[in-house]
């Protein structure tokens, strides 16, 4: 009996972890980062995810007003080896891994506009409406090793209203390879004068209509930020995700009359059903 028990114990010690490792390898994500969703379960072909999230965030950039907002989640993906093409909400893009340590991504999407009604306190009155506009987002991450424990990140955003660039470092927690776990990023964000004035500038007409001081932004450092991402598979199909973001504005941004707060913050949580 003792011999049988020892054999069974040896089986549990060796076979079950092996099965778990094999199952995780079968579901290996393009990169094992919670901020990069992958619904393909590590296989070539189509992947689908559909869900809903709720966010508690500032009403607009620089606002001191907060509110809840419901956001759709998920998307449609098609994977071929180390490449994933995707459509999510109003974004159409591609991401791919090269040499195991480079993640490259290109996305065409839409930047939300700003309306005077975004401020319940009337702090945008007289500033007019900003329409939603198309933008191109290019991103690159370079990992220091193939398990994506630490990395450098850069992002460039361009559209009809100037350019924005981001540079930072990241750290992944957990040993999962299926894209679950958590990660933390510390970044510095820069914008040119056109992009800066879109968010925080006030021209002569806006100053006359709103009563705020005319403000011309020169560009440069926009903010220092930190963001945290979490993702967990509840079971084979259901996934829970969360995100928290804090962005502290530079002195020039804080001096703008539009910036009623020194920072921007956001926290969100949601569920996705993976088909």
């Amino acid at each position: 009996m003792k011999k049988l028990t020892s054999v069974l114990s040896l089986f549990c010690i060796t076979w079950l972890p092996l099965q778990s490792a094999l199952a995780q390898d079968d579901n290996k994500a393009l990169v094992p980062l919670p901020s990069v969703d992958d619904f393909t379960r590590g296989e070539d072909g189509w992947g689908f995810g559909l869900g809903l999230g709720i966010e508690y965030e500032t009403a607009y950039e620089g606002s001191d007003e907060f509110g809840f907002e419901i956001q759709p989640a998920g998307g449609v993906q098609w994977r071929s080896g180390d490449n994933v093409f995707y459509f999510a909400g109003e974004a159409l893009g591609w991401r791919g891994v090269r040499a195991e340590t480079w993640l490259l991504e290109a996305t065409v999407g839409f930047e939300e506009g700003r309306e005077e009604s975004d401020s319940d306190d009337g702090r945008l009155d007289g500033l007019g409406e900003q329409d939603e506009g198309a933008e191109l987002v290019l991103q690159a991450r370079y990992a220091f090793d193939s398990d994506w424990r630490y990395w450098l990140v850069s992002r460039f955003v361009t559209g009809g209203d100037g350019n924005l660039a981001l540079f930072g470092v990241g750290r992944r927690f957990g040993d999962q390879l299926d894209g679950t776990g958590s990660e933390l990023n510390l970044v510095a964000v820069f914008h040119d004068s056109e992009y800066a004035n879109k968010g925080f500038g006030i021209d002569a007409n806006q100053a006359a209509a709103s009563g705020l001081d005319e403000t011309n932004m020169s560009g440069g450092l926009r903010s220092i930020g930190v963001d945290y991402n979490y993702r967990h598979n509840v079971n084979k199909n259901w996934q829970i995700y969360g995100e928290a973001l804090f962005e502290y504005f530079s002195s020039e941004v804080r001096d703008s009359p539009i910036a009623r707060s020194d920072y921007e913050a956001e926290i969100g949580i949601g569920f996705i059903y993976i088909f």
Side-chain angles (χ1 to χ4, degrees):
M1 188 65 180
K2 289 183 178 180
K3 185 175 181 179
L4 177 60
T5 302
S6 298
V7 172
L8 290 175
S9 298
L10 180 62
F11 173 85
C12 292
I13 292 172
T14 58
W15 176 252
L16 294 183
L18 177 61
Q19 285 293 90
S20 177
L22 290 175
Q24 188 181 127
D25 189 62
D26 289 341
N27 294 327
K28 187 176 180 180
L30 186 67
V31 286
L33 303 181
S35 60
V36 182
D37 52 23
D38 190 340
F39 307 136
T40 64
R41 305 183 193 278
E43 299 178 356
D44 285 357
W46 292 100
F48 302 90
L50 182 62
L52 202 65
I54 183 170
E55 297 177 351
Y56 184 70
E57 59 183 355
T58 49
Y60 57 90
E61 291 183 340
S63 173
D64 59 357
E65 303 169 56
F66 286 79
F68 289 96
E69 184 175 356
I70 302 296
Q71 294 279 5
V76 179
Q77 302 175 345
W78 186 77
R79 181 168 178 171
S80 176
D82 289 332
N83 300 281
V84 170
F85 301 87
Y86 60 88
F87 175 73
E90 296 181 321
L92 179 66
W94 160 85
R95 63 175 65 108
V97 172
R98 298 294 181 267
E100 295 188 337
T101 55
W102 281 97
L103 173 65
L104 307 176
E105 186 165 4
T107 307
V108 176
F110 288 90
E111 170 68 19
E112 292 184 1
R114 188 183 68 194
E115 300 178 358
E116 293 184 1
S117 60
D118 288 342
S119 173
D120 293 333
D121 297 337
R123 291 175 173 171
L124 297 176
D125 291 352
L127 296 180
E129 312 292 319
Q130 291 182 352
D131 296 330
E132 186 179 71
E135 63 181 18
L136 173 66
V137 181
L138 303 175
Q139 179 171 254
R141 298 198 203 191
Y142 173 73
F144 293 110
D145 48 49
S146 59
D147 70 352
W148 285 84
R149 183 65 57 193
Y150 299 93
W151 61 85
L152 302 175
V153 60
S154 63
R155 184 182 305 155
F156 179 71
V157 181
T158 185
D161 295 301
N163 305 294
L164 177 143
L166 173 153
F167 304 95
V169 295
R171 164 77 155 92
R172 179 173 74 95
F173 304 92
D175 298 319
Q176 302 95 317
L177 301 178
D178 57 1
T180 61
S182 61
E183 71 175 72
L184 191 69
N185 294 274
L186 178 64
V187 300
V189 186
F190 301 84
H191 52 196
D192 64 13
S193 59
E194 186 177 0
Y195 198 100
N197 280 296
K198 180 189 72 171
F200 299 100
I202 302 172
D203 62 27
N205 292 331
Q206 291 174 321
S210 66
L212 299 175
D213 293 336
E214 185 175 350
T215 303
N216 184 47
M217 307 290 290
S218 62
L221 178 65
R222 170 192 173 92
S223 62
I224 299 294
V226 59
D227 71 85
Y228 173 82
N229 289 272
Y230 172 83
R231 196 176 296 270
H232 173 70
N233 290 329
V234 179
N235 53 39
K236 180 181 178 181
N237 298 105
W238 282 102
Q239 187 178 88
I240 184 174
Y241 69 92
E243 181 182 15
L245 179 147
F246 179 84
E247 184 179 7
Y248 187 75
F249 294 128
S250 67
S251 58
E252 185 186 34
V253 173
R254 296 197 306 270
D255 288 340
S256 167
I258 295 176
R260 302 285 180 164
S261 176
D262 293 342
Y263 65 90
E264 183 174 354
E266 174 186 322
I267 187 168
I269 188 172
F271 290 88
I272 297 177
Y273 184 84
I274 302 175
F275 295 87

